[in-house]
């Protein structure tokens, strides 16, 4: 008789699970799984929806909550990260990753950054798929190996975590837990709704447009193909003349051109350009960003001059930031020479030593990064299997945020 998750779990009274209807044939068809997903996972999803297990594991069932979670996006991003992580292993130890035949397929993650998968190569019967965990840190029993396969189904693995102590149970393996056998609605998904696979769409670019965007085009022509212009670019309510007067300098013309074409917003969900023509008291203002970044840089430079070696604007050749990453890296100019159009670009990386200035001008640098041909600290590159057209893009900030 197979193990039932109800045998070792209870619903949390303060945040009980809430089922979400799932169109399993549609989900499994989108995943390309002729035999479907494991039946214990589908029963759990039908009974509980997205669930927080043992106050430590998130089991991600097909659902969506605007601005917080999308099952398809989570799965795509998680599988991509796994594919990249696995390249650090010797070739004979690497798992394939879905949608490769027999590839790992993610179903959950932990608060500690562990990611949980099925090994779909084990059997044509999804109920015989076993769990593989990518452990993020030093888990007892894991040694130096972050990837560990368990001869356990999803339900058996969850039972493996519900124990009385840290003592290694049978079958042996790295230990997760001991965890309580609690099931609660995932706290960050209180209003999750059913998820449906995205409808098939035609390629965004023709073959000829792809060649221009990725290889033969240059400047704004290629950039606007790769990252379409927003319907309403927004640069703020002031004027360039007032900004230049406030700064006591004009800015490079390619920056002005780029902002007038695209406005403020985020490139590839990573690089944020602030709004140039807003007053200094607005949180998304270029001037506010400059003041805050340079104030922090000066303090760090005083304490750690070897880590922060750049001069600071308005000193000659000083660093003048104009964009940052969601991870806290900053992109700016070194204000060297008589002409702002000759100012070199430089990245002040948050998690690495200061590197040299970049070689290209702004629009060409942005194009190269979007194409995946430029990677530097603070501007991470694409993976070898990524399609640049899929990952490139620009999202304008909602103008209501300025009201």
């Amino acid at each position: 008789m197979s193990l039932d998750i109800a045998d070792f779990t209870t619903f949390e009274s303060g945040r009980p699970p809430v089922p979400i209807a799932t169109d399993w044939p549609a989900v499994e068809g989108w995943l390309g799984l002729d035999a479907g997903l494991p039946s214990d996972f589908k029963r759990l999803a039908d009974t509980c929806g997205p669930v927080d297990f043992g106050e430590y594991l998130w089991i991600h069932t097909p659902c969506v909550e605007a601005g917080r979670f999308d099952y398809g996006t989570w799965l795509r991003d998680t599988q991509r990260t796994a594919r990249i992580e696995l390249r650090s292993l010797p070739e004979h130890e690497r798992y394939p990753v879905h949608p490769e035949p027999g590839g790992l397929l993610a179903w959950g993650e932990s608060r500690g950054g562990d990611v949980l998968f099925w090994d779909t190569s084990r059997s044509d019967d999804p109920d015989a798929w076993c769990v593989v965990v990518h452990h993020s840190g030093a888990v007892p029993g894991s040694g130096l190996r972050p990837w560990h396969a368990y001869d356990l189904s999803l339900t058996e693995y969850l039972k493996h975590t519900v124990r009385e102590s840290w003592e290694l149970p049978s079958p042996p393996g790295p230990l997760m837990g001991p965890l309580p056998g609690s099931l609660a609605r995932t706290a960050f998904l209180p209003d999750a709704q059913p998820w449906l696979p995205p409808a098939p769409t035609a390629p965004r670019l023709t073959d000829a447009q792809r060649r221009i965007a990725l290889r033969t085009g240059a400047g704004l022509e290629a950039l606007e193909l790769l990252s379409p212009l927003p319907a309403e670019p927004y640069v703020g309510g002031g004027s360039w003349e007032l900004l230049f007067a406030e700064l006591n300098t004009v800015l490079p013309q390619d920056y002005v051109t780029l902002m007038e074409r695209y406005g403020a917003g985020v490139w590839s969900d990573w690089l944020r350009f602030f709004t140039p023509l807003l007053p200094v008291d607005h949180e998304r203002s270029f001037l506010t960003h400059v003041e805050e970044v340079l104030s922090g840089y000066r303090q760090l430079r005083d304490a750690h001059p070897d880590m922060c070696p750049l001069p600071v604007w308005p000193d000659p050749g000083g660093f003048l930031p104009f964009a940052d990453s969601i991870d806290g890296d900053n992109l700016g100019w070194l204000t060297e020479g008589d002409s702002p159009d000759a100012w070199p670009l430089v990245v002040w990386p948050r998690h690495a030593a200061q590197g040299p200035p970049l070689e290209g001008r702004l629009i060409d640098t942005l194009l190269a990064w979007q194409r995946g041909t430029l990677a530097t600290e603070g501007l991470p590159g694409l993976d070898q299997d990524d399609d640049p057209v899929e990952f490139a893009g620009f999202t304008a900030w909602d103008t209501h945020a300025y009201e």
Side-chain angles (χ1 to χ4, degrees):
M1 183 174 179
S2 62
L3 181 67
D4 190 319
I5 195 171
D7 296 340
F8 58 90
T9 60
T10 57
F11 284 8
E12 186 177 302
S13 59
R15 202 174 70 242
V18 180
I20 295 177
T22 302
D23 185 340
W24 291 112
V27 172
E28 292 164 335
W30 179 76
L31 290 169
L33 301 174
D34 294 338
L37 287 161
S39 57
D40 58 350
F41 174 73
K42 293 194 285 187
R43 284 196 302 272
L44 179 62
D46 288 340
T47 303
C48 298
V51 70
D52 182 342
F53 174 83
E55 302 175 3
Y56 191 68
L57 299 178
W58 292 301
I59 300 175
H60 292 314
T61 62
C63 68
V64 61
E65 184 164 337
R68 296 192 174 194
F69 182 81
D70 177 277
Y71 174 75
T73 301
W74 172 78
L75 193 62
R76 180 200 67 185
D77 293 346
T78 302
Q79 306 286 101
R80 175 181 181 265
T81 300
R83 193 174 295 111
I84 295 169
E85 293 278 356
L86 283 161
R87 290 205 188 96
S88 65
L89 298 180
E91 190 169 354
H92 69 279
E93 294 183 19
R94 297 176 194 168
Y95 295 91
V97 179
H98 184 82
E100 293 180 60
L104 297 181
L105 181 60
W107 56 267
E109 57 191 325
S110 80
R111 283 174 168 79
D114 313 280
V115 186
L116 302 101
F117 303 84
W118 290 291
D119 180 356
T120 69
S121 71
R122 294 291 294 268
S123 173
D124 292 334
D125 177 6
D127 289 337
W129 291 350
C130 294
V131 170
V132 172
V133 180
H134 181 242
H135 294 289
S136 67
V139 178
S142 67
L144 298 176
R145 297 180 59 210
W147 295 89
H148 191 88
Y150 295 80
D151 192 21
L152 301 168
S153 68
L154 179 149
T155 300
E156 291 167 342
Y157 180 79
L158 296 180
K159 179 63 175 69
H160 176 68
T161 72
V162 179
R163 309 182 303 280
E164 296 299 324
S165 73
W166 284 99
E167 181 181 354
L168 191 69
S170 180
L175 295 179
M176 185 86 73
L179 304 179
S182 60
L183 292 169
R185 181 61 176 267
T186 301
F188 59 84
L189 297 175
D191 301 311
Q193 300 297 313
W195 180 85
L196 285 175
T201 58
R204 181 165 66 82
L205 300 178
T206 66
D207 289 344
Q209 289 173 325
R210 280 184 67 93
R211 283 194 297 274
I212 295 170
L214 298 179
R215 296 199 303 275
T216 63
L220 282 172
E221 176 196 25
L223 187 62
E224 290 174 11
L225 279 175
L226 197 53
S227 302
L229 294 168
E232 296 183 18
Y234 185 74
V235 295
S239 70
W240 291 107
E241 290 74 16
L242 288 173
L243 175 64
F244 299 161
E246 184 75 24
L247 291 170
N248 198 31
T249 181
V250 299
L251 296 177
Q253 184 57 48
D254 59 354
Y255 170 79
V256 175
T257 299
L258 182 74
M259 296 307 297
E260 289 182 340
R261 297 291 287 171
Y262 282 94
V266 186
W267 294 84
S268 295
D269 297 325
W270 179 257
L271 187 61
R272 305 183 296 189
F273 276 63
F274 291 82
T275 315
L277 308 184
L278 283 177
V280 72
D281 59 350
H282 197 288
E283 64 179 354
R284 288 189 173 177
S285 162
F286 173 96
L287 292 170
T288 299
H289 176 67
V290 168
E291 287 190 357
E292 292 177 349
V293 171
L294 294 187
S295 174
Y297 193 91
R298 290 186 183 97
Q299 293 178 38
L300 288 171
R301 188 181 60 177
D302 290 343
H304 307 283
D306 55 327
M307 297 175 58
C308 299
L310 300 177
V312 177
W313 182 86
D315 292 344
F319 175 55
L320 176 57
F322 61 84
D324 74 356
S325 79
I326 61 173
D327 205 25
D329 313 278
N330 276 273
L331 176 64
W333 300 283
L334 292 181
T335 55
E336 301 172 346
D338 297 329
S339 172
D341 290 331
W343 289 347
L345 294 168
V346 67
V347 178
W348 172 32
R350 180 181 178 188
H351 299 294
Q354 180 63 56
L358 306 180
E359 294 184 359
R361 309 304 306 143
L362 176 58
I363 291 174
D364 292 335
T365 297
L366 194 55
L367 175 61
W369 177 61
Q370 294 268 281
R371 283 174 165 172
T373 59
L374 168 70
T376 186
E377 293 292 348
L379 293 175
L382 297 177
D383 180 61
Q384 64 186 40
D385 292 330
D386 290 338
D387 179 358
V389 174
E390 178 183 355
F391 283 84
F394 176 80
T395 304
W397 277 332
D398 185 351
T399 56
H400 293 298
Y402 301 97
E403 295 175 354

